[in-house]
Amino acid sequence: MLSATRNHMSPSSWLNDNRKAAADELFEFLRIPSISARSEHKADVTRAADWLAEKLTSAGMTAEVLPTAGHPIVIGEWRGAGPKAPTYLVYGHYDVQPVEPLELWHSPPFEPQVRDGRIYARGSVDDKGQLYLHVKALQAHLAVNGKLPVNVILLAEGEEEVGSEHLSVFIEQHARRLACDGVIISDSSMFAPGLPSILFSLRGMTYLQIDVEGPGSDLHSGSYGGAVVNPATTLAHIIASFHDADRRVAVKGFYDKVVEWEGDVRSQIRALPFREEGFREEAGAPALGGEAGYSTLERIWTRPTLEVNGLLSGYTGEGAKTVLPSKAMAKVSCRLVPDQAPDEIAALVTDHVRRMAPPEVTVTVTPLSSGRPWRARLEGVLFEAGRRALKRAFGKEPVLAGEGGSIPVVGDFQRILGAPVLLMGFGLPGENAHAPDEWMAVENYEKGMLAASALWEELATG
Ligand code: BES
Ligand code: MN
Ligand code: MN
């Protein structure tokens, strides 16, 4: 009976027949609040790792949960294609972002709900849905054919949303086990609905905290103001010095290693179906603005930034309180493009802040996390197979798109394993990743499974 079904079915018809289970299982995964940033959720993060390992085992792979100094790494393997066959690694993350502000969610973040063809839940699109669709695609092949055409490693981490601190060392230490011919990642978005996309770039990042300390405690701003230097004013002054009137970053040396993009890439970017007005609306901003001389997509994909992510100082409660704050703090991050090095940029920004700091306060800069920028080689077996697989699942030739966000490990995969990386994501614009009401389109979850499944077939023939 089993072998008869095996002969008849294709992985894609298996996936069609098992859509309900694929949704139910994803919902179980989404119910685990695996917030990596919060220590009170440490056990939940581990529970999500264990849950995933269990599902990999039922899919027919071997699975292990490996501890790190932070959250665990899950490795699933299927090596039945033998040592002469190529090996591909699928990467994703099972951790999610915090959910605040909770009151803005229309349904609780960890109680997944389908509304208007969208799965609403924290982690639905970033990245549990996009990771789990790969598990189902692998399971489809193993269920129907009893094998895969290549060897497969699935690596899922639980620290992506906090900077993948322990992953590069892990990859270095396990480089032999993780050796592969290519890496496949679904942790990004399509350029538009119905338009499958392959990414040609990610920005890198370096994240810093700036602390300005003045008097030992808050002071009466009448008795002391004017005679004691104000840490909040000082921090504002430092922050104001980060950009010039053209909204370029004014940190010395910041642009020295920035590679200008080739004319043909810039014209490809201009050819994409992009409406500034639609983007503005989606952002909910009164108007768009950025570095002079570049279009919106160029600003996001090809140019580096320095952004203030958070600010804290003084009295911010109800009414007026006349106080001179004892300290001020800012969180600041730079998005980086090739060939900027995160550590070098961190050093340049730190120097800039130190030069701006007056002697009457203490200013410290603490690096928090970093990741290298990345650009794809848009050629080779994996890229071509990805292209064909997306076309089969969506009925449309994929477009090439850039990305302003970061996936810190991508540069490491390329550098440590020497493997090309294929980024084929199934999110959509407006998906609210990291925000209230995060969602993933049911259609993209299902077509994503079909694309992931087709990819294994394309890699067999490729
Ligand atoms: N999946 C995102 C990366 C991403 C963002 C892809 C936007 C496509 C569109 C990833 O989970 C993420 O949020 N990365 C962080 C990295 C940071 C925590 C080091 C980011 O970009 O802020
Ligand atoms: Mn992600
Ligand atoms: Mn994310």
PDB file of all heavy atoms in Angstrom, residues 93 95 125-127 130 160-161 187-188 406-407 434, ligand 2:
ATOM      1  N   HIS A  93      15.562  30.804  11.335  1.00  0.00           N
ATOM      2  CA  HIS A  93      15.606  31.015  12.783  1.00  0.00           C
ATOM      3  C   HIS A  93      14.236  30.782  13.405  1.00  0.00           C
ATOM      4  O   HIS A  93      13.213  31.125  12.823  1.00  0.00           O
ATOM      5  CB  HIS A  93      16.169  32.394  13.158  1.00  0.00           C
ATOM      6  CG  HIS A  93      15.402  33.582  12.657  1.00  0.00           C
ATOM      7  ND1 HIS A  93      14.453  34.208  13.425  1.00  0.00           N
ATOM      8  CD2 HIS A  93      15.443  34.266  11.489  1.00  0.00           C
ATOM      9  CE1 HIS A  93      13.953  35.239  12.760  1.00  0.00           C
ATOM     10  NE2 HIS A  93      14.533  35.299  11.569  1.00  0.00           N
ATOM     11  N   ASP A  95      13.639  31.783  16.621  1.00  0.00           N
ATOM     12  CA  ASP A  95      13.347  32.798  17.641  1.00  0.00           C
ATOM     13  C   ASP A  95      12.549  33.933  17.013  1.00  0.00           C
ATOM     14  O   ASP A  95      12.531  34.100  15.804  1.00  0.00           O
ATOM     15  CB  ASP A  95      14.640  33.340  18.282  1.00  0.00           C
ATOM     16  CG  ASP A  95      15.526  34.114  17.303  1.00  0.00           C
ATOM     17  OD1 ASP A  95      15.606  33.716  16.121  1.00  0.00           O
ATOM     18  OD2 ASP A  95      16.139  35.120  17.715  1.00  0.00           O
ATOM     19  N   VAL A 125       5.762  35.217   9.742  1.00  0.00           N
ATOM     20  CA  VAL A 125       6.587  35.393   8.539  1.00  0.00           C
ATOM     21  C   VAL A 125       8.076  35.452   8.889  1.00  0.00           C
ATOM     22  O   VAL A 125       8.919  35.116   8.075  1.00  0.00           O
ATOM     23  CB  VAL A 125       6.132  36.655   7.751  1.00  0.00           C
ATOM     24  CG1 VAL A 125       6.536  37.938   8.461  1.00  0.00           C
ATOM     25  CG2 VAL A 125       6.646  36.614   6.319  1.00  0.00           C
ATOM     26  N   ASP A 126       8.382  35.869  10.120  1.00  0.00           N
ATOM     27  CA  ASP A 126       9.780  36.089  10.542  1.00  0.00           C
ATOM     28  C   ASP A 126      10.052  35.295  11.795  1.00  0.00           C
ATOM     29  O   ASP A 126       9.959  35.797  12.886  1.00  0.00           O
ATOM     30  CB  ASP A 126       9.999  37.588  10.764  1.00  0.00           C
ATOM     31  CG  ASP A 126      11.446  37.943  11.026  1.00  0.00           C
ATOM     32  OD1 ASP A 126      12.310  37.080  10.821  1.00  0.00           O
ATOM     33  OD2 ASP A 126      11.717  39.081  11.440  1.00  0.00           O
ATOM     34  N   ASP A 127      10.474  34.034  11.691  1.00  0.00           N
ATOM     35  CA  ASP A 127      10.759  33.352  10.444  1.00  0.00           C
ATOM     36  C   ASP A 127      10.154  31.950  10.483  1.00  0.00           C
ATOM     37  O   ASP A 127      10.455  31.106   9.666  1.00  0.00           O
ATOM     38  CB  ASP A 127      12.296  33.323  10.275  1.00  0.00           C
ATOM     39  CG  ASP A 127      12.779  32.578   9.052  1.00  0.00           C
ATOM     40  OD1 ASP A 127      12.173  32.716   7.980  1.00  0.00           O
ATOM     41  OD2 ASP A 127      13.741  31.808   9.174  1.00  0.00           O
ATOM     42  N   GLN A 130       8.375  30.686   7.329  1.00  0.00           N
ATOM     43  CA  GLN A 130       9.302  30.509   6.214  1.00  0.00           C
ATOM     44  C   GLN A 130      10.297  29.368   6.453  1.00  0.00           C
ATOM     45  O   GLN A 130      10.804  28.766   5.520  1.00  0.00           O
ATOM     46  CB  GLN A 130      10.060  31.806   5.939  1.00  0.00           C
ATOM     47  CG  GLN A 130       9.154  32.964   5.549  1.00  0.00           C
ATOM     48  CD  GLN A 130       9.925  34.034   4.823  1.00  0.00           C
ATOM     49  OE1 GLN A 130      10.481  33.800   3.751  1.00  0.00           O
ATOM     50  NE2 GLN A 130       9.985  35.222   5.396  1.00  0.00           N
ATOM     51  N   GLU A 160      18.835  34.797  16.105  1.00  0.00           N
ATOM     52  CA  GLU A 160      18.955  35.724  14.970  1.00  0.00           C
ATOM     53  C   GLU A 160      18.471  37.105  15.345  1.00  0.00           C
ATOM     54  O   GLU A 160      19.088  38.118  15.009  1.00  0.00           O
ATOM     55  CB  GLU A 160      18.167  35.187  13.767  1.00  0.00           C
ATOM     56  CG  GLU A 160      18.574  35.833  12.438  1.00  0.00           C
ATOM     57  CD  GLU A 160      17.904  37.176  12.170  1.00  0.00           C
ATOM     58  OE1 GLU A 160      16.894  37.504  12.829  1.00  0.00           O
ATOM     59  OE2 GLU A 160      18.394  37.915  11.305  1.00  0.00           O
ATOM     60  N   GLU A 161      17.373  37.165  16.064  1.00  0.00           N
ATOM     61  CA  GLU A 161      16.778  38.469  16.388  1.00  0.00           C
ATOM     62  C   GLU A 161      17.564  39.241  17.435  1.00  0.00           C
ATOM     63  O   GLU A 161      17.240  40.382  17.735  1.00  0.00           O
ATOM     64  CB  GLU A 161      15.321  38.293  16.840  1.00  0.00           C
ATOM     65  CG  GLU A 161      14.390  37.683  15.795  1.00  0.00           C
ATOM     66  CD  GLU A 161      14.159  38.586  14.568  1.00  0.00           C
ATOM     67  OE1 GLU A 161      14.838  39.611  14.429  1.00  0.00           O
ATOM     68  OE2 GLU A 161      13.284  38.227  13.759  1.00  0.00           O
ATOM     69  N   ASP A 187      13.959  34.019   4.603  1.00  0.00           N
ATOM     70  CA  ASP A 187      13.782  34.892   5.769  1.00  0.00           C
ATOM     71  C   ASP A 187      13.682  36.330   5.273  1.00  0.00           C
ATOM     72  O   ASP A 187      14.209  37.254   5.873  1.00  0.00           O
ATOM     73  CB  ASP A 187      14.961  34.712   6.727  1.00  0.00           C
ATOM     74  CG  ASP A 187      14.782  35.470   8.038  1.00  0.00           C
ATOM     75  OD1 ASP A 187      13.620  35.765   8.399  1.00  0.00           O
ATOM     76  OD2 ASP A 187      15.801  35.781   8.690  1.00  0.00           O
ATOM     77  N   SER A 188      13.020  36.484   4.130  1.00  0.00           N
ATOM     78  CA  SER A 188      12.915  37.808   3.523  1.00  0.00           C
ATOM     79  C   SER A 188      11.590  37.865   2.774  1.00  0.00           C
ATOM     80  O   SER A 188      10.765  36.959   2.880  1.00  0.00           O
ATOM     81  CB  SER A 188      14.105  38.063   2.595  1.00  0.00           C
ATOM     82  OG  SER A 188      14.220  37.041   1.624  1.00  0.00           O
ATOM     83  N   SER A 406      18.960  43.007   7.617  1.00  0.00           N
ATOM     84  CA  SER A 406      20.202  42.250   7.791  1.00  0.00           C
ATOM     85  C   SER A 406      19.906  40.832   8.272  1.00  0.00           C
ATOM     86  O   SER A 406      18.974  40.617   9.043  1.00  0.00           O
ATOM     87  CB  SER A 406      21.086  42.932   8.848  1.00  0.00           C
ATOM     88  OG  SER A 406      21.198  44.316   8.595  1.00  0.00           O
ATOM     89  N   ILE A 407      20.680  39.893   7.803  1.00  0.00           N
ATOM     90  CA  ILE A 407      20.694  38.546   8.374  1.00  0.00           C
ATOM     91  C   ILE A 407      22.170  38.279   8.635  1.00  0.00           C
ATOM     92  O   ILE A 407      22.922  37.944   7.728  1.00  0.00           O
ATOM     93  CB  ILE A 407      20.080  37.493   7.420  1.00  0.00           C
ATOM     94  CG1 ILE A 407      18.664  37.924   6.985  1.00  0.00           C
ATOM     95  CG2 ILE A 407      20.042  36.124   8.088  1.00  0.00           C
ATOM     96  CD1 ILE A 407      18.028  37.018   5.935  1.00  0.00           C
ATOM     97  N   HIS A 434       8.312  42.306  13.178  1.00  0.00           N
ATOM     98  CA  HIS A 434       8.799  43.025  14.370  1.00  0.00           C
ATOM     99  C   HIS A 434       7.740  43.964  14.956  1.00  0.00           C
ATOM    100  O   HIS A 434       8.004  44.611  15.961  1.00  0.00           O
ATOM    101  CB  HIS A 434      10.069  43.856  14.084  1.00  0.00           C
ATOM    102  CG  HIS A 434      11.249  43.022  13.687  1.00  0.00           C
ATOM    103  ND1 HIS A 434      12.545  43.501  13.749  1.00  0.00           N
ATOM    104  CD2 HIS A 434      11.350  41.760  13.217  1.00  0.00           C
ATOM    105  CE1 HIS A 434      13.385  42.561  13.333  1.00  0.00           C
ATOM    106  NE2 HIS A 434      12.679  41.495  13.007  1.00  0.00           N
TER     107      HIS A 434
HETATM  108 MN    MN B   2      14.153  36.870  10.149  1.00  0.00          MN
END
